[in-house]
């Protein structure tokens, strides 16, 4: 028995969905059913004193009910035709209990699809039709007929208005859902673009520095290959170390990308370079023929990994620019732990090249973007005495600021 009920419920659900997707079929069946029911009622239940059904009454019955097929597309026209024909039907003296369903259905369609002012004006027709039909009944007082007509009209208006409000709310919600989806897609595209820019900046910082170092060392090694084997061997070691470190950082970046995509553990971020690797960076540059002095100032303290990465990239890019534009220049790097900000100052004397790092280069642009991302400031440009200077201030996050009373 339960299986049969489930099967019937499933069949009924599918049937309702089928009819909901075909409103014209529903309206056609409704109009034909009302016309047939009205004709059968007039034919077999004609009250005493009413005119017997004939061809004219049949035509009027069709005119009252069949227009309901178009009630969704032209509700006001259908209401006027249905109410007018129903009033004419009753004025001729035909069955007063017939043709009273079509007009309220037409009014419901108006109320569900037109503004309240239009619906209220259209309700006068239904009110007049129902009042007239009620007053034709021999045992119904005029006030009772009018009261019934008012009750029916107000009920139909209320139901149609409620449906219209629900439809408009659903339409607004659908529009809002579409806008939200478009906004989410736009945010996703912006996030993807920002991520691509971030990755491109990382790739530039990693590749540019190491390639510049490898290129310089390869040129030096080729120059002294036959005259100074020891120096040539040292340059090969530097090239090997630089290429190995470049591969390590590239693998780190790829592991981060895979982690973000798979949603797994972000352990790959443990290899993010920070200030503790600056000394190694400086030693490599110093061993490659770029004399670099490096020192920390102030009291060192743990920093946000992102801030440390930003500081490391600033120093790395500044030294890369020295390699590119002032090879062999004496360079000084000072990292200062202040009370509220981390200071970075990279200065170099004029080198063998004719110009220092140019402010319009892509490396300096990326460096500026990094610094601004952390709310910092950057000043870069030629020094009055020659050479180039980069000075950066990166404010500490609230959790990274020293406690009061400590240096």
């Amino acid at each position: 028995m339960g299986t049969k009920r489930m099967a019937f419920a499933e069949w009924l659900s599918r049937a309702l969905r089928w009819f909901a997707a075909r409103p014209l079929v529903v309206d056609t069946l409704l109009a034909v059913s009302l016309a047939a029911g009205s004709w059968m009622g007039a034919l077999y239940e004609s009250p005493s004193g009413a005119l017997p059904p004939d061809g004219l009454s049949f035509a009027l019955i069709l005119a009252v009910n069949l227009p309901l097929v178009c009630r969704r597309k032209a509700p006001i026209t259908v209401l006027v035709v249905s109410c007018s024909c129903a009033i004419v039907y009753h004025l001729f003296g035909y069955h007063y209990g017939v043709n009273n369903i079509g007009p309220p259905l037409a009014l419901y369609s108006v109320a569900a699809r037109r503004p309240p002012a239009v619906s209220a004006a259209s309700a006068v027709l239904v009110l007049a039709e129902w009042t007239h039909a009620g007053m034709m009944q021999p045992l119904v007082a005029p006030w009772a007929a009018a009261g019934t007509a008012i009750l029916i009209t107000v009920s139909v208006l209320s139901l149609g208005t409620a449906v219209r409000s629900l439809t408009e709310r659903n339409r607004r919600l659908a529009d809002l859902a579409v806008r939200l989806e478009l906004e989410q897609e736009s945010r996703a595209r912006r996030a993807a673009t920002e991520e691509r820019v971030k990755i491109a900046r990382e790739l530039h910082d990693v590749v540019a520095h190491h390639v510049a170092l490898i290129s310089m060392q390869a040129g030096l090694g080729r120059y002294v290959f036959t005259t100074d084997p020891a120096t040539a061997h040292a340059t090969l070691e530097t090239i090997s170390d630089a290429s190995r470190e470049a591969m390590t950082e590239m693998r780190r970046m790829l592991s981060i990308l895979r982690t973000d995509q798979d949603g797994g553990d972000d352990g790959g971020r443990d290899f993010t370079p920070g200030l503790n690797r600056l000394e190694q960076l400086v030693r490599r540059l110093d061993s490659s023929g770029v004399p670099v002095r490096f020192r920390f100032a102030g009291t060192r303290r743990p920093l946000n990994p992102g801030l440390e990465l930003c500081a490391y990239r600033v120093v790395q890019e500044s030294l890369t620019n020295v390699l590119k534009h002032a090879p062999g220049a004496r360079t000084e790097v000072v990292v200062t732990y202040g009370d509220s900000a981390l200071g970075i100052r990279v200065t170099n004397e004029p080198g063998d090249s004719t110009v220092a790092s140019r402010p319009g280069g892509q490396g300096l642009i990326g460096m500026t973007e990094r610094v601004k991302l952390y709310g910092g400031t950057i000043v870069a440009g030629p020094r009055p005495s020659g050479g180039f200077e980069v000075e950066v201030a990166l404010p500490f996050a609230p959790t990274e600021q020293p406690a009061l009373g400590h240096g």
Side-chain angles (χ1 to χ4, degrees):
M1 190 67 178
T3 304
K4 291 183 178 180
R5 279 199 298 266
M6 291 178 60
F8 175 76
E10 183 178 357
W11 174 85
L12 181 61
S13 176
R14 281 187 295 196
L16 291 176
R17 288 197 300 269
W18 188 90
F19 281 111
R22 296 164 176 82
L24 183 60
V25 174
V26 174
D27 292 341
T28 301
L29 291 176
L30 178 63
V32 171
S33 299
L34 285 177
S38 297
W39 177 249
M40 296 295 292
L43 191 62
Y44 294 105
E45 297 180 4
S46 181
S48 59
L51 290 179
D54 53 17
L56 178 60
S57 67
F58 181 71
L60 289 172
I61 287 175
L62 294 180
V64 170
N65 297 287
L66 290 186
L68 291 173
V69 174
C70 304
R71 67 185 183 91
R72 300 176 194 264
K73 294 183 178 180
I76 297 179
T77 302
V78 170
L79 175 65
V80 172
V81 172
S82 182
C83 287
S84 300
C85 293
I87 292 175
V88 170
Y89 180 87
H90 294 137
L91 284 175
F92 275 117
Y94 293 113
H95 195 328
Y96 49 77
V98 173
N99 286 334
N100 293 324
I101 304 299
L105 281 176
L107 177 61
Y108 164 81
S109 300
V110 173
R113 288 165 176 79
R114 295 295 182 267
V118 176
S119 302
S122 303
V124 176
L125 293 174
V126 176
L127 186 62
E129 191 276 327
W130 265 75
T131 302
H132 177 257
M135 292 177 62
M136 291 183 63
Q137 301 183 37
L139 300 180
V140 177
W143 63 267
T148 303
I150 293 174
L151 178 62
I152 293 297
T153 303
V154 171
S155 299
V156 172
L157 274 178
S158 301
L159 180 60
T161 302
V163 171
R164 183 179 63 84
S165 299
L166 180 61
T167 302
E168 290 181 353
R169 187 181 67 177
N170 291 338
R171 186 183 299 112
R172 288 195 298 269
L173 289 175
D175 293 340
L176 179 60
V178 172
R179 289 198 299 270
L180 288 176
E181 184 177 359
L182 293 176
E183 185 178 349
Q184 289 176 351
E185 292 178 356
S186 178
R187 281 201 301 263
R189 287 193 297 268
R190 287 198 302 269
T193 301
E194 292 173 0
E195 188 66 20
R196 286 195 293 268
V197 171
K198 178 181 176 182
I199 294 171
R201 188 166 55 231
E202 283 287 305
L203 285 172
H204 175 273
D205 292 340
V206 171
V207 175
H209 171 76
H210 291 91
V211 168
L213 179 61
I214 290 171
S215 176
M216 178 181 176
Q217 291 297 302
L220 177 62
R222 183 175 60 181
Y223 181 75
V224 300
F225 184 75
T226 56
T227 59
D228 192 350
T231 302
H233 184 269
T235 60
L236 290 176
E237 288 184 352
T238 303
I239 291 173
S240 176
D241 293 340
S243 60
R244 186 182 305 111
E245 184 172 348
M247 289 298 297
T248 299
E249 293 203 26
M250 292 289 288
R251 290 193 187 99
R252 174 186 63 81
M253 293 179 60
L254 292 175
S255 67
I256 291 175
L257 291 175
R258 285 194 297 267
T259 299
D260 291 342
Q261 183 177 5
D262 298 339
D265 187 16
D266 59 349
R269 299 183 188 270
D270 295 339
F271 298 99
T272 301
L275 295 179
N276 59 329
R277 294 181 58 183
L278 283 180
E279 295 182 4
Q280 178 184 352
L281 175 67
V282 169
R283 283 198 304 269
R284 186 170 63 245
L285 266 291
D286 190 69
S287 64
S288 66
V290 178
V292 182
R293 290 188 302 169
F294 170 73
R295 63 186 176 91
F296 284 108
T299 303
R300 296 186 63 177
R301 65 180 67 91
L303 300 178
N304 182 287
L307 187 66
E308 288 212 19
L309 175 61
C310 178
Y312 178 89
R313 294 304 188 201
V314 166
V315 175
Q316 183 186 52
E317 181 59 34
S318 300
L319 295 178
T320 300
N321 286 337
V322 175
L323 275 174
K324 289 180 179 179
H325 306 291
R330 300 179 67 86
T331 304
E332 182 180 28
V333 179
V334 180
V335 178
T336 304
Y337 287 82
D339 293 333
S340 60
L342 181 72
I344 302 171
R345 186 169 180 266
V346 182
T347 58
N348 65 272
E349 299 177 355
D352 298 336
S353 182
T354 56
V355 293
S357 178
R358 292 171 295 179
Q362 293 297 320
L364 188 56
I365 293 175
M367 195 187 332
T368 303
E369 291 177 353
R370 281 186 181 277
V371 172
K372 288 183 178 179
L373 182 64
Y374 286 90
T377 58
I378 179 172
V379 178
R383 301 170 65 193
S385 58
F388 202 80
E389 180 179 58
V390 176
E391 190 166 358
V392 173
L394 295 171
F396 295 132
T399 56
E400 297 164 348
Q401 294 181 358
L404 295 176
H406 291 76

